[in-house]
Amino acid sequence: MYVKRWFSIAVIILMVMSLMIGCSSKSTTSKSKDGKTTITFFYRWPNEPYKSYFKSVIAEFEKQNPNIKVEEVTALNDDYKQKANVLLGSQNPPDVFFSWAGEYGQKFIRDGVALDLTKYYQDDTNWSGQLISSQVDFFKKDDKVYGVPLFTDSKLFFYNKDLFDKLGLKAPTTWDEFMNVLATIKKNGTTPIILGNKSPWAAAHYVTALNQRLVPKEVLDKDLSYQGAKFTDPGYVEALKKLNELRPYFNDDPNAVAHDEARSLFLGGKAAITFLETQEITYMKDATFKWDTFKVPTIDGAKGDQGGLIGAPEGFMIHSKSTHPKEAMAFLKFMTSKANGEKLIKDTGLASTVTDAVNENTATKEEVKAMDLIKEQKNMLIWTDSALDSRIFKPYGDGVQTMLGGGMKPADVMKSVQEAAKQVYNK
């Protein structure tokens, strides 16, 4: 009798708890207390100089909006991804959260995690009109906008201008010129190009750029979309063959070297050329030589975009379960104001997506030059490691690593990618 009664009570308690959990799952950790609305801001920069930048922006926002409090949650890079898997799917997710562009962010859109921000863009064109439109496009799906790009980034070859001048060399514009430059540098006894591919994204950026030159844009657009990817165009194999052409000019065993190690060696004059993100210009103050940049050379007869850049913005989304989307959006607008865009490049070296925030008063001439290149691009090609489902990128990145070590042929790498795409998209 007592057992049955306690069993009935336990069932009732469980039902009540289930109802409470169901209700609480519709809200975020944002809450009101002491007359203030609290929004949770989840981002991936607990390190300097970014930490100080965000804290100062938050402090000023709270000063200008005394009824709103911003609560921070941070984690660095890979730890962020792990923490995001837990927090964004929890009963109390953050209101504002960081997202990379590409498949990482698109998955949040498809799964209904990211709030549709289109009306905010449309209702406040004074704000949205100042953002570089090509960078906003990275956070779109079906003509709707689901994110706000904070900063953007691209990739260029950085070279030792002192060494080039000494050898009578000019920055190459074509692949044939590039190969001749590399051969001359190697003959001089200097490592032509230094690559740190301990993490496979580094060589994947080479692959991205070569795919852009060798694969037709409409094919790339389809293969880098969520569905319909096949990777059967012959340009993909040709891109890997071009990467193989660079192997004799790379440093020994690039797979054993980390990217930041390779960058430091380049800055110390141990190599003539390296492939860096434009946000890494901030490190160039430590270079022991005069330097300059050049775009990935054009390839004669290739069917891809010969003038394009690779790269992508990074930014923020608002959780679809946020109970304070208006306040969350006010914070994102404040972060991407002209004043804070200028502060971003000055304090951190990250190039704001606010038009003209990167200028002669806020940035070096090299940073302004890099931003001008980005603004000229109608369609930047996003990094392969960001664009693809991780189940497809893994055989791609691992395959390229093995290829650079001499263990795979280009065609074999692409076969593994094709098989992965079939499995992921069930084609």
Short mmCIF file of all heavy atoms in Angstrom, two decimals, residues 53 57 64 126-127 130-131 148 150 330-344 352-355 357:
data_model
loop_
_atom_site.label_atom_id
_atom_site.label_comp_id
_atom_site.label_asym_id
_atom_site.label_seq_id
_atom_site.Cartn_x
_atom_site.Cartn_y
_atom_site.Cartn_z
N TYR A 53 39.94 44.09 -25.07
CA TYR A 53 39.08 44.79 -26.03
C TYR A 53 37.61 44.54 -25.71
O TYR A 53 36.82 45.48 -25.58
CB TYR A 53 39.39 44.34 -27.45
CG TYR A 53 38.36 44.83 -28.45
CD1 TYR A 53 38.39 46.13 -28.92
CD2 TYR A 53 37.33 44.00 -28.88
CE1 TYR A 53 37.43 46.61 -29.80
CE2 TYR A 53 36.36 44.46 -29.77
CZ TYR A 53 36.42 45.76 -30.23
OH TYR A 53 35.46 46.22 -31.09
N VAL A 57 34.62 47.15 -24.43
CA VAL A 57 33.40 47.37 -25.21
C VAL A 57 32.18 47.08 -24.36
O VAL A 57 31.19 47.83 -24.38
CB VAL A 57 33.41 46.50 -26.48
CG1 VAL A 57 32.04 46.52 -27.17
CG2 VAL A 57 34.48 46.97 -27.45
N GLN A 64 26.34 53.03 -21.43
CA GLN A 64 25.36 53.69 -22.29
C GLN A 64 23.97 53.07 -22.18
O GLN A 64 22.98 53.68 -22.58
CB GLN A 64 25.83 53.66 -23.74
CG GLN A 64 27.08 54.47 -24.01
CD GLN A 64 27.45 54.53 -25.48
OE1 GLN A 64 26.59 54.38 -26.35
NE2 GLN A 64 28.74 54.74 -25.78
N ASN A 126 20.84 52.27 -41.46
CA ASN A 126 21.98 53.12 -41.10
C ASN A 126 23.10 52.27 -40.49
O ASN A 126 24.28 52.53 -40.71
CB ASN A 126 21.55 54.20 -40.10
CG ASN A 126 20.74 55.29 -40.76
OD1 ASN A 126 20.87 55.53 -41.96
ND2 ASN A 126 19.88 55.94 -39.99
N TRP A 127 22.69 51.26 -39.72
CA TRP A 127 23.68 50.33 -39.14
C TRP A 127 24.10 49.28 -40.15
O TRP A 127 25.30 49.13 -40.43
CB TRP A 127 23.09 49.65 -37.90
CG TRP A 127 23.85 48.42 -37.53
CD1 TRP A 127 25.10 48.36 -36.97
CD2 TRP A 127 23.45 47.06 -37.77
NE1 TRP A 127 25.50 47.04 -36.83
CE2 TRP A 127 24.51 46.23 -37.31
CE3 TRP A 127 22.31 46.47 -38.30
CZ2 TRP A 127 24.43 44.83 -37.38
CZ3 TRP A 127 22.24 45.08 -38.37
CH2 TRP A 127 23.30 44.28 -37.91
N GLN A 130 26.45 49.99 -43.24
CA GLN A 130 27.87 50.28 -43.06
C GLN A 130 28.72 49.00 -43.04
O GLN A 130 29.94 49.06 -43.07
CB GLN A 130 28.10 51.06 -41.77
CG GLN A 130 27.84 50.25 -40.51
CD GLN A 130 28.19 51.00 -39.24
OE1 GLN A 130 28.90 52.00 -39.28
NE2 GLN A 130 27.71 50.50 -38.12
N LEU A 131 28.07 47.83 -42.98
CA LEU A 131 28.80 46.56 -42.99
C LEU A 131 29.13 46.17 -44.44
O LEU A 131 28.31 46.36 -45.34
CB LEU A 131 27.97 45.46 -42.33
CG LEU A 131 27.62 45.65 -40.86
CD1 LEU A 131 26.71 44.52 -40.38
CD2 LEU A 131 28.88 45.71 -40.00
N VAL A 148 26.01 38.35 -37.55
CA VAL A 148 26.64 39.66 -37.74
C VAL A 148 28.15 39.46 -37.78
O VAL A 148 28.75 39.02 -36.79
CB VAL A 148 26.28 40.62 -36.58
CG1 VAL A 148 26.99 41.96 -36.77
CG2 VAL A 148 24.77 40.82 -36.50
N LEU A 150 31.91 40.23 -37.40
CA LEU A 150 32.67 41.20 -36.60
C LEU A 150 33.94 41.65 -37.31
O LEU A 150 34.25 42.82 -37.40
CB LEU A 150 33.04 40.59 -35.25
CG LEU A 150 33.85 41.51 -34.33
CD1 LEU A 150 32.99 42.65 -33.82
CD2 LEU A 150 34.46 40.74 -33.16
N ALA A 330 20.93 44.89 -29.80
CA ALA A 330 21.49 46.21 -29.48
C ALA A 330 22.97 46.10 -29.16
O ALA A 330 23.78 46.95 -29.56
CB ALA A 330 20.74 46.82 -28.29
N PHE A 331 23.35 45.01 -28.47
CA PHE A 331 24.76 44.79 -28.14
C PHE A 331 25.57 44.50 -29.40
O PHE A 331 26.67 45.04 -29.57
CB PHE A 331 24.87 43.64 -27.15
CG PHE A 331 26.29 43.31 -26.76
CD1 PHE A 331 27.13 44.26 -26.22
CD2 PHE A 331 26.79 42.02 -26.96
CE1 PHE A 331 28.44 43.97 -25.86
CE2 PHE A 331 28.10 41.71 -26.61
CZ PHE A 331 28.92 42.68 -26.07
N LEU A 332 25.03 43.69 -30.32
CA LEU A 332 25.76 43.39 -31.56
C LEU A 332 25.92 44.64 -32.42
O LEU A 332 26.96 44.85 -33.05
CB LEU A 332 25.03 42.30 -32.35
CG LEU A 332 25.12 40.88 -31.77
CD1 LEU A 332 24.42 39.90 -32.69
CD2 LEU A 332 26.58 40.47 -31.57
N LYS A 333 24.89 45.47 -32.46
CA LYS A 333 24.99 46.72 -33.22
C LYS A 333 26.06 47.63 -32.62
O LYS A 333 26.83 48.28 -33.34
CB LYS A 333 23.64 47.45 -33.22
CG LYS A 333 22.59 46.82 -34.10
CD LYS A 333 21.32 47.67 -34.07
CE LYS A 333 20.23 47.07 -34.92
NZ LYS A 333 19.01 47.92 -34.90
N PHE A 334 26.10 47.66 -31.30
CA PHE A 334 27.11 48.50 -30.62
C PHE A 334 28.51 47.99 -30.94
O PHE A 334 29.42 48.79 -31.22
CB PHE A 334 26.87 48.47 -29.11
CG PHE A 334 27.81 49.34 -28.32
CD1 PHE A 334 27.65 50.71 -28.29
CD2 PHE A 334 28.87 48.77 -27.63
CE1 PHE A 334 28.52 51.52 -27.58
CE2 PHE A 334 29.76 49.57 -26.91
CZ PHE A 334 29.58 50.95 -26.88
N MET A 335 28.71 46.68 -30.92
CA MET A 335 30.03 46.11 -31.22
C MET A 335 30.48 46.43 -32.64
O MET A 335 31.66 46.58 -32.90
CB MET A 335 30.02 44.59 -31.04
CG MET A 335 30.32 44.13 -29.64
SD MET A 335 31.05 42.48 -29.61
CE MET A 335 29.73 41.51 -30.31
N THR A 336 29.52 46.54 -33.56
CA THR A 336 29.86 46.78 -34.96
C THR A 336 29.56 48.22 -35.38
O THR A 336 29.21 48.50 -36.53
CB THR A 336 29.12 45.79 -35.87
OG1 THR A 336 27.73 45.75 -35.52
CG2 THR A 336 29.69 44.40 -35.74
N SER A 337 29.67 49.12 -34.43
CA SER A 337 29.60 50.55 -34.77
C SER A 337 30.92 50.97 -35.39
O SER A 337 31.93 50.27 -35.29
CB SER A 337 29.33 51.37 -33.50
OG SER A 337 30.46 51.29 -32.62
N LYS A 338 30.93 52.12 -36.04
CA LYS A 338 32.16 52.61 -36.67
C LYS A 338 33.25 52.81 -35.62
O LYS A 338 34.41 52.44 -35.83
CB LYS A 338 31.87 53.94 -37.39
CG LYS A 338 33.08 54.62 -38.05
CD LYS A 338 33.52 53.90 -39.29
CE LYS A 338 34.67 54.62 -39.99
NZ LYS A 338 34.29 55.94 -40.56
N ALA A 339 32.88 53.38 -34.47
CA ALA A 339 33.86 53.66 -33.42
C ALA A 339 34.49 52.37 -32.91
O ALA A 339 35.72 52.28 -32.73
CB ALA A 339 33.21 54.42 -32.28
N ASN A 340 33.67 51.35 -32.68
CA ASN A 340 34.22 50.09 -32.17
C ASN A 340 34.92 49.29 -33.26
O ASN A 340 35.80 48.48 -32.96
CB ASN A 340 33.12 49.27 -31.51
CG ASN A 340 32.80 49.76 -30.11
OD1 ASN A 340 33.70 50.13 -29.36
ND2 ASN A 340 31.52 49.79 -29.77
N GLY A 341 34.54 49.52 -34.51
CA GLY A 341 35.27 48.91 -35.62
C GLY A 341 36.68 49.45 -35.71
O GLY A 341 37.65 48.71 -35.94
N GLU A 342 36.81 50.75 -35.51
CA GLU A 342 38.14 51.38 -35.52
C GLU A 342 38.95 50.92 -34.31
O GLU A 342 40.16 50.67 -34.41
CB GLU A 342 37.99 52.90 -35.53
CG GLU A 342 37.42 53.44 -36.83
CD GLU A 342 37.29 54.95 -36.84
OE1 GLU A 342 37.10 55.54 -35.75
OE2 GLU A 342 37.37 55.54 -37.92
N LYS A 343 38.28 50.80 -33.20
CA LYS A 343 38.96 50.35 -31.97
C LYS A 343 39.44 48.90 -32.14
O LYS A 343 40.51 48.53 -31.65
CB LYS A 343 38.00 50.47 -30.79
CG LYS A 343 38.56 50.01 -29.44
CD LYS A 343 37.54 50.24 -28.34
CE LYS A 343 37.99 49.63 -27.02
NZ LYS A 343 39.26 50.19 -26.52
N LEU A 344 38.65 48.08 -32.84
CA LEU A 344 38.99 46.67 -33.03
C LEU A 344 40.32 46.51 -33.76
O LEU A 344 41.19 45.74 -33.31
CB LEU A 344 37.87 45.96 -33.80
CG LEU A 344 38.07 44.47 -34.07
CD1 LEU A 344 38.05 43.68 -32.76
CD2 LEU A 344 37.00 43.94 -35.02
N SER A 352 37.99 45.01 -38.93
CA SER A 352 36.54 45.16 -38.78
C SER A 352 35.82 45.08 -40.12
O SER A 352 36.33 45.54 -41.15
CB SER A 352 36.22 46.50 -38.11
OG SER A 352 34.84 46.78 -38.15
N THR A 353 34.59 44.52 -40.09
CA THR A 353 33.77 44.46 -41.29
C THR A 353 32.98 45.74 -41.51
O THR A 353 32.17 45.84 -42.43
CB THR A 353 32.78 43.28 -41.21
OG1 THR A 353 32.06 43.36 -39.98
CG2 THR A 353 33.51 41.95 -41.27
N VAL A 354 33.20 46.73 -40.66
CA VAL A 354 32.58 48.04 -40.85
C VAL A 354 33.36 48.79 -41.92
O VAL A 354 34.58 48.95 -41.83
CB VAL A 354 32.57 48.84 -39.54
CG1 VAL A 354 31.98 50.24 -39.77
CG2 VAL A 354 31.78 48.11 -38.46
N THR A 355 32.66 49.23 -42.94
CA THR A 355 33.30 49.93 -44.05
C THR A 355 34.13 51.12 -43.56
O THR A 355 33.63 51.93 -42.77
CB THR A 355 32.24 50.43 -45.05
OG1 THR A 355 31.49 49.31 -45.53
CG2 THR A 355 32.90 51.13 -46.24
N ALA A 357 36.46 51.35 -41.46
CA ALA A 357 37.01 51.33 -40.09
C ALA A 357 38.51 51.07 -40.12
O ALA A 357 39.25 51.53 -39.25
CB ALA A 357 36.30 50.26 -39.26
#
